[in-house]
Amino acid sequence: MEQNKIFFVHFRDVKGNAERFEETFHDDGKTDMFAAMKLYYKYGYQGPARPDHVPTMAGEDNKNPGYELLGRLFGVGYMKGLMEAAASNNLMLTVEAIYLQ
């Protein structure tokens, strides 16, 4: 059954194409992440969202590739900034939750 609804946002970006890609930080890929965040607000998305698949940063042991703490903290901060900017563009709805897995 088609519901035309987003249930969970995994916020991530990449460089490259489907056959050969590299995960990037959320502000360093080819996607306009601000445009994406504005669309979530415009269409009333109110579910959970999280930063997903970030590069491992210096000093991390990479036990959880794509999910190390420092990169995810960067992602949370970046997403919160995008949310504030989207909200300041006279968009009225807010995302209920950003959380770390």
Side-chain angles (χ1 to χ4, degrees):
M1 170 179 21
E2 186 175 324
Q3 296 183 16
N4 294 319
K5 184 175 179 179
I6 298 172
F7 293 95
F8 195 106
V9 171
H10 292 251
F11 216 67
R12 67 188 286 189
D13 208 352
V14 298
K15 290 181 180 177
N17 57 43
E19 291 81 34
R20 189 177 180 109
F21 67 91
E22 176 184 341
E23 293 169 336
T24 67
F25 287 101
H26 301 89
D27 65 339
D28 197 30
K30 59 185 178 181
T31 305
D32 183 340
M33 300 303 249
F34 182 49
M37 187 64 75
K38 289 191 296 185
L39 289 172
Y40 292 130
Y41 275 69
K42 179 180 178 178
Y43 291 102
Y45 179 71
Q46 294 186 15
R50 73 162 194 202
D52 197 23
H53 294 259
V54 295
T56 301
M57 296 181 71
E60 295 181 312
D61 60 20
N62 207 27
K63 285 184 181 176
N64 298 304
Y67 295 98
E68 293 295 336
L69 182 62
L70 296 177
R72 287 192 301 157
L73 288 174
F74 173 85
V76 167
Y78 185 67
M79 289 174 69
K80 286 182 67 73
L82 291 175
M83 291 168 67
E84 285 185 27
S88 72
N89 279 339
N90 297 322
L91 297 170
M92 299 180 293
L93 299 172
T94 60
V95 175
E96 290 179 341
I98 290 182
Y99 69 93
L100 298 175
Q101 195 179 41

